Amino acid sequence: MALLQISEPGQSTAPHQHRLAVGIDLGTTHSLAATVRSGVPEVLPDAHGRYLLPSVVRYGAGGAPQVGHEAKDKAGADPLNTIASVKRFMGRGIDDIRKTVKKLPYEFVDSESAMPRIRTAAGDVSPVEVSTEILKVLKTRSEGSLGGELSGVVITVPAYFDDAQRQATRDAARLAGLNVLRLLNEPTAAAVAYGLDRGSEGVHAIYDLGGGTFDISILRFSRGVFEVLATAGDSALGGDDMDRVVAEWIMQQAGIGDDVGHGQLRRLQRIACDSKEQLTESDSVEIVADLETGGQWRGWLTRETFNALIEPLVRRSLLPCRRAMKDAGIGLDEIEDVVMVGGATRVPYVRTQVGNFFACDPLVDIDPDKVVAVGAAIQADVLVGNKPDDELLLLDVIPLSLGLETMGGLVEKIIPRNTPIPVAKAQEFTTYKDGQTAMQIHVVQGERDLVSDCRSLARFELRGVPAMNAGAAKVRVTFQVDADGLLSVSASEVASGVQSSVQVKPSYGLTDSEIAQMLRDSIDHAQDDMAVRALREQQVEADRSIETIESALAEDGDKLLDADERKAIDNALEALHAARIGSDHRAIKQAIAHLDTVSHVYATRRMNASIRKALTGHKVEDIDI
Amino acid sequence: MTGLYAKNYFELFDLPKSFDIDTTALRDRYRELQKTAHPDKHAAASDQQRRISVQFAAQINEAFQTLREPIARARYLLSLHGVVWRDENKSLNDPDFLMEQMALRERLEELYQGAQTSDDLIGILDEIESKMASMVAHLSRCFESGSEADFREAQIIVQKLQFFSRVREEAEEATL
């Protein structure tokens, strides 16, 4: 007699249906991956039992790049080919980089493209490609550890990352062959890791000082929903800056000039970083620096001096804290606690200053290096469908206002910062010349009034506007920001309904065709593999469409559809089933599109029905749609 | 609202179409609606369903943002009553109010320029807050009466509140 299979409530009885998913914290100084196994989140170690992968990539002549510890150890000896802290350059133009970094640590290639490239022994590489190498290592590590291909990943980004920085991160993941379920804001991920642990309802502050970025998020946790009320930050402030001021202090004390070589500078930064870490435990630390002229410099750095050196940096982090509180409309007395995230929050001075500011003891009981990856893993597990009945929901906001360039180089805001996402806003534009058939639109992100003070995200041209008298043609442009914080744009002419084509040219970052090219380059038998890939993609989407519609029909097809509608959907389903068996990816795509068209009204009705049910508790059959 | 069954934002949240609303109920229902509509709840579904979910979630967010904030809520309520908002800055014809605004801006400007103490700024902010609070109370009475004259009055109050709101935003920024 077969034994009865008994499982925990909410867990699948069929273990093979468990999909593999990981959360990845792609950090400035180090990166790591975590997963949920048997309901318990765990961080995945490498073969040597190490969890943290240094975010360092070394490009030697010939051979695959070295990533992680090996590369980090070579940074002093081979500084120009060893790329560290590349996150600081993600989604940035070369001019931005020059503004934030006093001395460029690598040889940047002069080129027309806004996307910076770094010259290495293995050729020129972009920050996106460097990040891809880090992600590939974590992908291999995760698949080795979990024993199979990953269904999807959640990758964390600083909450304060703008659209270009998010897009660059997504591109890096695409190039690494990862299916990104979601870009998740780092402080939100940390809140998930903490919140689920404690079930603490109320308003919390998350202070996240990483290697190169700073975020503050104010969020409310209530009945499984994390609602971000406001976020603020500084995407160029972190533990790296502490290392830099300490390195500068050593140079000053040791009489080392600004013309110091790249190798020496990297060694000094390493010493500075080690000293910073030791000062968490000790009151003072001895520093020994080899001089390029031969000889050595020895000196002591006390915690007091260190605190004085980093004081301006810590103070800089408190301004965004005040702004986030103001935007959230929350008073200090309403904050339950402040959660400390990121390696730099180990510094005692940071803890006391933040504790003073929020007037409470900072929470430090989850390893600040791991908490973000753990939160991402929990969300990945839910998104991939392993916990269908989970209550967890993260409601996030857009960190920086989106605006359009208007006359005189001024910005007109269309979506203010801290608006909940997803969000869609439509704006109408008109022609100013008779017969005009195209319009230029420039999208920027930032809080300032002048276009030149904001980040340029994209410029695009609306073409195919019907020729009319000036002011007669009205083009409605819709800006949509999805749950990842990524912008997309669509446009149509209001009177004629003509859909204008939108060519978005990202001001920084890669165009879709560049990515396609890179993907082709990375695959040996380009043609065959691309075709196989395209077919596979369509098959996956076909299965998803079939599964979605069939389970919907079984649930409420009889209630929400009349006979004709039902017939049309059944026919389209049958056609898709037939195409799915074949090997023509175009035919599958077409069949999916047809099913989409005939079932659109039904899908909308279903969503409406479930929304009404959510509020009223009525059963679907009670509702007239 | 494209796709959504509700005719207006109030109906969406199952709230009476009035200026005074139960903000706790609004927030609770907002969360319940997003638990159903948010794209993360449809991550494993077809492209079509995910697209619809993004649209719905965006509209729910828009509705929530509009109703939770009194000025936006009043504007919305008035537009449901047929008020068309256009180029508002010019249409406010109230010299006394404009003089008062200018005086307020001058006082703030002096504080921004000079060696202001944050206490002075906070003092002015408190003043602005209490003015706005009494205007919101006035708005509430106008909406309650619902007469044509009161709707016109409400429209003017909303415009004035917008002035104050901009000044408050600047002053708050200066206190950071």
Side-chain angles (χ1 to χ4, degrees):
Chain A
M1 193 179 84
L3 287 172
L4 277 176
Q5 282 200 326
I6 298 174
S7 66
E8 290 289 317
Q11 282 188 347
S12 169
T13 44
H16 65 272
Q17 281 181 348
H18 182 87
R19 298 196 181 95
L20 303 180
V22 297
I24 294 177
D25 176 358
L26 183 61
T28 307
T29 43
H30 51 244
S31 302
L32 64 155
T35 193
V36 176
R37 230 189 299 233
S38 314
V40 183
E42 57 179 271
V43 179
L44 301 173
D46 67 6
H48 304 282
R50 297 174 298 203
Y51 296 105
L52 303 185
L53 175 74
S55 301
V56 184
V57 181
R58 178 170 176 245
Y59 291 89
Q66 289 176 320
V67 182
H69 296 277
E70 283 176 290
K72 188 181 173 186
D73 292 339
K74 298 279 168 46
D78 189 15
L80 293 180
N81 294 315
T82 311
I83 320 296
S85 297
V86 76
K87 189 171 177 177
R88 296 198 132 185
F89 307 143
M90 291 288 271
R92 294 271 171 230
I94 186 73
D95 293 339
D96 293 319
I97 295 172
R98 286 213 175 87
K99 260 183 254 168
T100 52
V101 188
K102 235 191 279 172
K103 184 180 162 104
L104 290 177
Y106 313 107
E107 256 186 77
F108 282 89
V109 181
D110 273 322
S111 77
E112 294 291 297
S113 157
M115 166 79 105
R117 300 185 78 82
I118 302 164
R119 181 162 294 148
T120 75
D124 300 343
V125 294
S126 67
V128 168
E129 290 163 285
V130 178
S131 300
T132 298
E133 294 303 329
I134 298 166
L135 289 170
K136 277 184 189 163
V137 171
L138 291 173
K139 179 179 188 241
T140 310
R141 180 192 291 186
S142 305
E143 292 185 335
S145 174
L146 299 176
E149 202 182 321
L150 297 179
S151 291
V153 299
V154 168
I155 298 183
T156 61
V157 289
Y160 209 58
F161 254 20
D162 63 31
D163 183 82
Q165 292 168 305
R166 285 167 195 269
Q167 199 68 61
T169 307
R170 204 173 231 287
D171 291 346
R174 244 170 101 186
L175 287 173
L178 292 166
N179 171 32
V180 183
L181 300 164
R182 184 88 135 67
L183 294 179
L184 180 59
N185 289 334
E186 286 159 11
T188 312
V192 171
Y194 261 92
L196 292 188
D197 228 30
R198 315 165 155 258
S200 45
E201 306 255 310
V203 178
H204 307 264
I206 317 287
Y207 181 98
D208 181 356
L209 189 61
T213 57
F214 169 67
D215 283 332
I216 175 78
S217 283
I218 310 294
L219 55 83
R220 186 194 301 272
F221 178 49
S222 176
R223 276 171 279 170
V225 181
F226 291 83
E227 183 189 349
V228 178
L229 302 176
T231 194
D234 188 330
S235 59
L237 175 67
D240 278 8
D241 296 287
M242 297 182 182
D243 301 348
R244 185 175 45 77
V245 295
V246 171
E248 280 166 7
W249 178 83
I250 298 172
M251 286 164 67
Q252 198 189 22
Q253 299 292 310
I256 301 171
D258 280 347
D259 52 347
V260 58
H262 282 289
Q264 171 78 341
L265 198 60
R266 297 285 276 272
R267 281 189 293 275
L268 285 172
Q269 277 165 354
R270 182 86 186 250
I271 293 171
C273 180
D274 292 343
S275 310
K276 170 187 74 181
E277 286 173 14
Q278 285 171 44
L279 285 171
T280 296
E281 301 294 329
S282 344
D283 291 331
S284 62
V285 55
E286 190 182 19
I287 294 174
V288 182
D290 293 324
L291 301 176
E292 277 177 319
T293 51
Q296 272 184 342
W297 176 83
R298 278 168 185 273
W300 286 84
L301 175 61
T302 62
R303 192 189 272 176
E304 210 180 340
T305 307
F306 174 70
N307 290 353
L309 289 172
I310 64 167
E311 190 273 339
L313 298 171
V314 179
R315 188 152 32 90
R316 223 170 101 193
S317 78
L318 297 180
L319 174 68
C321 291
R322 282 193 285 270
R323 177 164 292 130
M325 301 276 290
K326 170 181 96 65
D327 284 359
I330 289 289
L332 274 176
D333 52 326
E334 292 170 81
I335 301 271
E336 303 273 328
D337 45 39
V338 51
V339 175
M340 301 298 262
V341 185
T345 62
R346 287 206 177 85
V347 173
Y349 183 71
V350 173
R351 291 187 176 178
T352 52
Q353 292 302 300
V354 173
N356 288 345
F357 178 85
F358 286 103
C360 56
D361 278 337
L363 290 181
V364 294
D365 34 333
I366 304 187
D367 185 340
D369 285 326
K370 293 180 186 163
V371 61
V372 166
V374 166
I378 293 169
Q379 169 78 341
D381 193 45
V382 172
L383 289 184
V384 86
N386 288 336
K387 285 185 164 176
D389 299 321
D390 202 272
E391 284 276 276
L392 176 67
L393 179 63
L394 313 182
L395 300 173
D396 229 307
V397 298
I398 181 169
L400 294 150
S401 304
L402 278 179
L404 296 174
E405 176 167 356
T406 60
M407 295 295 197
L410 293 174
V411 179
E412 184 183 334
K413 282 185 188 154
I414 43 171
I415 300 175
R417 68 166 188 259
N418 289 319
T419 298
I421 49 175
V423 57
K425 282 275 159 71
Q427 188 96 353
E428 278 184 15
F429 296 87
T430 189
T431 48
Y432 63 94
K433 273 196 289 193
D434 289 345
Q436 186 181 340
T437 57
M439 293 182 203
Q440 284 278 352
I441 290 177
H442 185 198
V443 188
V444 297
Q445 193 162 26
E447 307 312 316
R448 308 282 295 277
D449 294 330
L450 290 176
V451 168
S452 51
D453 293 331
C454 291
R455 291 269 299 154
S456 169
L457 288 187
R459 288 171 192 278
F460 53 86
E461 213 175 55
L462 297 173
R463 292 173 178 284
V465 177
M468 296 188 206
N469 292 336
K474 285 194 171 48
V475 177
R476 192 179 169 80
V477 181
T478 305
F479 301 87
Q480 182 178 289
V481 178
D482 65 16
D484 290 337
L486 292 174
L487 171 74
S488 60
V489 184
S490 60
S492 63
E493 205 281 314
V494 177
S496 65
V498 171
Q499 196 79 19
S500 306
S501 63
V502 181
Q503 268 292 336
V504 181
K505 185 179 170 293
S507 303
Y508 304 92
L510 303 164
T511 60
D512 271 357
S513 58
E514 279 174 303
I515 293 205
Q517 185 58 45
M518 285 170 149
L519 278 173
R520 272 194 292 275
D521 290 349
S522 68
I523 297 170
D524 286 337
H525 304 288
Q527 281 307 322
D528 294 354
D529 282 10
M530 288 306 279
V532 170
R533 204 187 168 104
L535 178 62
R536 186 71 208 120
E537 274 172 16
Q538 291 307 324
Q539 284 172 337
V540 169
E541 185 49 35
D543 291 346
R544 237 190 259 156
S545 293
I546 291 170
E547 152 90 41
T548 303
I549 292 285
E550 285 185 345
S551 69
L553 288 173
E555 208 177 297
D556 54 27
D558 299 338
K559 294 176 194 97
L560 296 180
L561 291 168
D562 66 29
D564 288 349
E565 292 168 334
R566 177 66 190 250
K567 185 93 188 102
I569 292 176
D570 283 342
N571 288 345
L573 254 178
E574 204 176 308
L576 179 55
H577 271 294
R580 167 69 178 81
I581 303 165
S583 58
D584 181 353
H585 68 88
R586 283 182 204 85
I588 303 178
K589 193 174 179 174
Q590 236 168 18
I592 295 172
H594 180 60
L595 179 61
D596 277 4
T597 311
V598 297
S599 65
H600 189 268
V601 172
Y602 173 48
T604 306
R605 264 180 217 160
R606 293 197 80 231
M607 194 74 89
N608 272 318
S610 60
I611 281 180
R612 297 186 77 158
K613 193 174 155 195
L615 269 199
T616 57
H618 291 317
K619 291 198 169 55
V620 181
E621 44 261 66
D622 299 342
I623 295 169
D624 261 349
I625 300 284
Chain B
M1 297 196 278
T2 46
L4 266 172
Y5 72 92
K7 284 190 293 297
N8 60 59
Y9 295 162
F10 293 97
E11 190 187 323
L12 178 64
F13 292 103
D14 198 18
L15 290 167
K17 203 169 99 182
S18 73
F19 180 71
D20 295 311
I21 57 167
D22 178 349
T23 48
T24 310
L26 175 70
R27 187 172 281 279
D28 286 347
R29 288 169 198 181
Y30 165 67
R31 275 194 294 261
E32 289 310 313
L33 290 184
Q34 287 296 21
K35 273 186 190 172
T36 309
H38 195 275
D40 283 356
K41 294 292 176 189
H42 305 273
S46 64
D47 279 351
Q48 178 191 53
Q49 192 169 328
R50 282 181 291 161
R51 272 197 309 274
I52 294 175
S53 117
V54 172
Q55 277 171 15
F56 273 48
Q59 290 183 75
I60 292 166
N61 277 333
E62 173 76 24
F64 176 58
Q65 288 280 88
T66 305
L67 294 194
R68 77 166 157 186
E69 205 274 318
I71 302 177
R73 186 165 68 238
R75 274 181 70 98
Y76 180 68
L77 200 50
L78 285 167
S79 66
L80 288 182
H81 281 101
V83 174
V84 180
W85 299 94
R86 64 170 93 80
D87 212 6
E88 297 135 39
N89 295 345
K90 286 177 193 155
S91 57
L92 189 60
N93 185 16
D94 183 343
D96 288 347
F97 176 76
L98 294 176
M99 287 300 285
E100 188 195 332
Q101 280 288 311
M102 269 166 66
L104 178 62
R105 278 185 184 275
E106 268 166 30
R107 276 169 70 201
L108 283 167
E109 210 54 49
E110 269 169 39
L111 288 179
Y112 300 155
Q113 305 293 336
Q116 95 270 16
T117 67
S118 57
D119 283 353
D120 290 340
L121 260 178
I122 287 166
I124 296 191
L125 266 171
D126 285 345
E127 245 176 73
I128 296 174
E129 289 288 352
S130 78
K131 271 223 169 81
M132 289 178 79
S134 70
M135 288 165 83
V136 168
H138 189 182
L139 253 187
S140 166
R141 288 193 297 276
C142 289
F143 279 115
E144 213 169 309
S145 119
S147 73
E148 277 306 309
D150 278 325
F151 272 133
R152 274 196 299 279
E153 176 76 13
Q155 217 173 318
I156 291 164
I157 299 172
V158 165
Q159 284 172 291
K160 290 182 177 175
L161 275 168
Q162 285 172 327
F163 271 96
F164 274 113
S165 163
R166 277 194 290 271
V167 176
R168 180 179 62 182
E169 173 73 27
E170 277 171 30
E172 276 179 340
E173 194 68 22
T175 60
L176 294 179

